[in-house]
């Protein structure tokens, strides 16, 4: 199949770079019509951070510096590409841990300048938001539920660059709540997979845990209180035995699943109100989407509402550079981009009109 970009008359090939958290990643992707991931190289820093129970920004930035050039070379080589073969360099310019973002975006600018290619500064959240259009045939508008270590939000994705945040966490991101809950129960980082593993042998009904904010009509969420409720129960029974840890993991996971399913039902109802003529689609992205119980309750909520449920493969759901390259392609397909003057941004809400949930001060919204 020959695929043609209507604007430039050719398929675009973009090199992507992602360094906003604890993955150093680079990828080469083509599109917008002939959608192919030619390479997708990711190096996780989990080993560097695990002894601290979470990501240490300074360690992350240094680790990105040490390895990024090798990762980019590997991505180019395994895609079989030379600099002449790529049309642009796309890199995460925010939001994220600013040290890492600076390393990635400045490296990308240097490559773009040396190779004489345009640079595209990609919003990391836009990368997550548009991934389903790389992996599945998803048309605008659609709903996105982003559930990662840094973000928990429902977004209405109306088009490239056209997002409306419908609801967000007002405190901890869900992955963060999993990680903190795991830590207080003595489980290693990253907490999510460990909580899920232990929850399998736990009794979710043993401890009454809250479903925060579900009495409110909007789509916002809160997870800090749930984590504190786990801590309170654990403290009462100190020293906690293995079965108690498993029961608390199961109770916590069920509470999160219930909250997400309820909010998904409301988000889909809102989608139908806004776009009565469009088939409802909900896309899930972020590391927490790996959780089987959460996935099944989201799928059930979507089926109940007659909506299509799309979960990109896990390797493209968690942080990666293919999504950044793809977001670059989607932007470039709309016309020329030159972000050489753009500065890396620690905070960069996708929806600028609706960004005041956590700290609407000089730096913008946190989540
Ligand atoms: O998207 P991601 O890889 O990185 C960012 O945070 O951007 O997400 C990582 C988060 C961590 O907080 C991790 O604990 C959580 O996703 N996670 C899970 C599971 N696997 C990863 N949470 C719940 N259940 C899981 N199976
Ligand atoms: Zn992410």
């Amino acid at each position: 199949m020959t695929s043609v970009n209507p604007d430039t008359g050719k398929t675009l090939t973009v090199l992507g770079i992602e360094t906003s958290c604890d993955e150093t990643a680079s990828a080469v992707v083509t599109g917008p019509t002939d959608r192919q991931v030619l390479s997708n190289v990711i190096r996780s820093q989990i080993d560097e951070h695990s002894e601290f129970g979470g990501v240490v920004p300074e360690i992350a930035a240094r680790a990105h510096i040490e390895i990024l050039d090798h990762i980019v070379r590997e991505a180019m080589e395994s895609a079989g590409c030379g600099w002449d073969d790529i049309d642009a360099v796309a890199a995460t310019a925010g939001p994220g841990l600013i040290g890492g973002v600076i390393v990635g975006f400045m490296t990308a600018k240097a490559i773009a300048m040396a190779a004489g290619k345009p640079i595209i500064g990609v919003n990391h959240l836009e990368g997550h938001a548009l991934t389903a259009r790389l992996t599945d045939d998803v048309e605008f508008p659609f709903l996105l539920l982003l559930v990662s270590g840094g973000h928990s939000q429902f977004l209405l994705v109306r088009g490239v660059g056209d997002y409306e945040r419908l609801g967000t966490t007002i405190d901890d991101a869900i992955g963060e709540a999993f990680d903190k809950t795991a830590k207080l129960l003595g489980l290693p980082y990253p907490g999510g997979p460990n909580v899920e593993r232990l929850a399998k042998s736990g009794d979710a009904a043993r401890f009454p845990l809250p479903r925060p904010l579900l009495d409110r009509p909007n789509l916002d969420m809160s997870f800090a209180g749930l984590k504190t409720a786990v801590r309170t129960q654990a403290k009462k029974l100190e020293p906690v035995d293995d079965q108690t840890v498993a029961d608390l993991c199961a109770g916590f996971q069920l509470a999160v699943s219930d909250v997400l399913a309820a909010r998904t039902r409301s988000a889909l109802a809102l989608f139908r109100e806004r776009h009565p003529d469009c088939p409802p689609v909900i896309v899930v992205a972020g590391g927490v989407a790996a959780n089987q119980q959460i996935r099944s309750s989201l799928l059930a909520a979507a089926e109940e509402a007659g909506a299509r449920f799309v979960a990109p493969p896990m390797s493209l759901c968690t942080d990666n550079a293919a999504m950044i390259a793809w977001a670059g392609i989607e932007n470039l397909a709309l016309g020329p981009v030159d972000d050489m003057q753009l500065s890396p941004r620690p905070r960069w809400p996708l929806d600028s009109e609706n960004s005041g949930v956590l700290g609407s001060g000089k730096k913008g919204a946190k989540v």
Side-chain angles (χ1 to χ4, degrees):
M1 180 178 74
T2 37
S3 50
V4 173
N5 164 23
D7 296 316
T8 62
K10 69 187 272 275
T11 294
L12 299 167
T13 305
V14 170
L15 169 70
I17 292 176
E18 157 61 34
T19 53
S20 67
C21 192
D22 60 344
E23 268 92 22
T24 314
S26 184
V28 179
V29 175
T30 66
T33 311
D34 182 13
R35 296 168 293 174
Q36 290 188 48
V37 178
L38 300 183
S39 65
N40 189 20
V41 182
I42 302 178
R43 191 208 166 249
S44 164
Q45 302 174 358
I46 282 182
D47 292 347
E48 277 96 326
H49 301 289
S50 58
E51 68 172 292
F52 304 100
V55 179
V56 183
E58 180 64 26
I59 293 177
R62 283 165 192 254
H64 290 307
I65 289 178
E66 274 168 24
I67 199 154
L68 182 57
D69 52 348
H70 301 283
I71 298 287
V72 171
R73 188 188 310 135
E74 202 180 323
M76 290 291 287
E77 280 175 7
S78 60
C81 283
W83 299 118
D84 287 346
D85 301 316
I86 62 161
D87 294 286
V89 182
T92 300
L97 300 175
I98 192 62
V101 175
I102 290 173
V103 171
F105 195 46
M106 292 305 156
T107 303
K109 279 188 177 180
I111 293 173
M113 197 170 264
K117 307 288 174 181
I119 171 85
I120 307 166
V122 172
N123 182 313
H124 177 87
L125 302 175
E126 179 163 61
H128 281 300
L130 299 177
T131 302
R133 288 169 49 79
L134 164 65
T135 59
D136 296 76
D137 292 316
V138 173
E139 301 290 336
F140 299 121
F142 61 90
L143 263 182
L144 175 79
L145 170 59
L146 175 59
V147 279
S148 70
H151 305 276
S152 302
Q153 48 187 268
F154 282 96
L155 282 169
L156 181 56
V157 183
R158 288 187 290 242
V160 177
D162 185 5
Y163 308 94
E164 181 182 341
R165 196 178 60 199
L166 302 176
T168 183
T169 176
I170 58 167
D171 40 54
D172 291 348
I174 303 182
E176 185 182 4
F178 265 97
D179 294 338
K180 288 179 175 172
T181 300
K183 193 173 178 183
L184 74 90
L185 292 173
L187 306 173
Y189 175 84
N194 289 306
V195 170
E196 180 171 25
R197 184 173 48 81
L198 291 179
K200 289 198 172 79
S201 53
D203 171 10
R206 179 169 160 205
F207 298 104
L209 293 173
R211 270 68 175 154
L213 295 193
L214 277 198
D215 52 331
R216 308 252 182 105
N218 63 23
L219 290 177
D220 286 339
M221 299 168 282
S222 162
F223 299 99
L226 178 57
K227 171 200 68 195
T228 306
V230 171
R231 186 195 306 278
T232 308
Q233 297 288 355
K235 279 244 176 274
K236 276 193 218 155
L237 297 171
E238 251 173 359
V240 286
D241 57 34
D242 290 351
Q243 190 56 50
T244 299
V245 171
D247 294 344
L248 284 168
C249 287
F252 172 82
Q253 186 174 274
L254 181 63
V256 173
S257 303
D258 285 352
V259 169
L260 284 175
R263 285 302 192 231
T264 297
R265 282 192 286 271
S266 310
L268 284 166
L270 192 63
F271 182 92
R272 276 188 192 283
E273 253 173 54
R274 297 277 185 88
H275 299 284
D277 300 326
C278 299
V281 178
I282 177 149
V283 173
V284 65
V288 179
N291 187 289
Q292 288 306 324
Q293 184 173 18
I294 291 176
R295 253 176 199 251
S296 345
S297 45
L298 294 177
L299 178 62
E303 278 177 351
E304 202 181 292
R308 180 175 161 214
F309 177 75
V310 177
M314 266 334 283
S315 61
L316 296 176
C317 239
T318 55
D319 286 353
N320 67 87
M323 71 178 190
I324 303 302
W326 174 254
I329 289 172
E330 290 251 46
N331 278 280
L332 205 56
L334 297 176
V337 186
D338 175 15
D339 286 335
M340 200 48 93
Q341 301 308 319
L342 187 73
S343 300
R345 299 177 62 175
R347 295 175 185 204
W348 185 2
L350 267 183
D351 169 356
S352 50
E353 279 173 22
N354 192 11
S355 55
V357 173
L358 257 196
S360 50
K362 273 188 295 200
K363 292 180 178 167
K366 192 176 161 201
V367 180

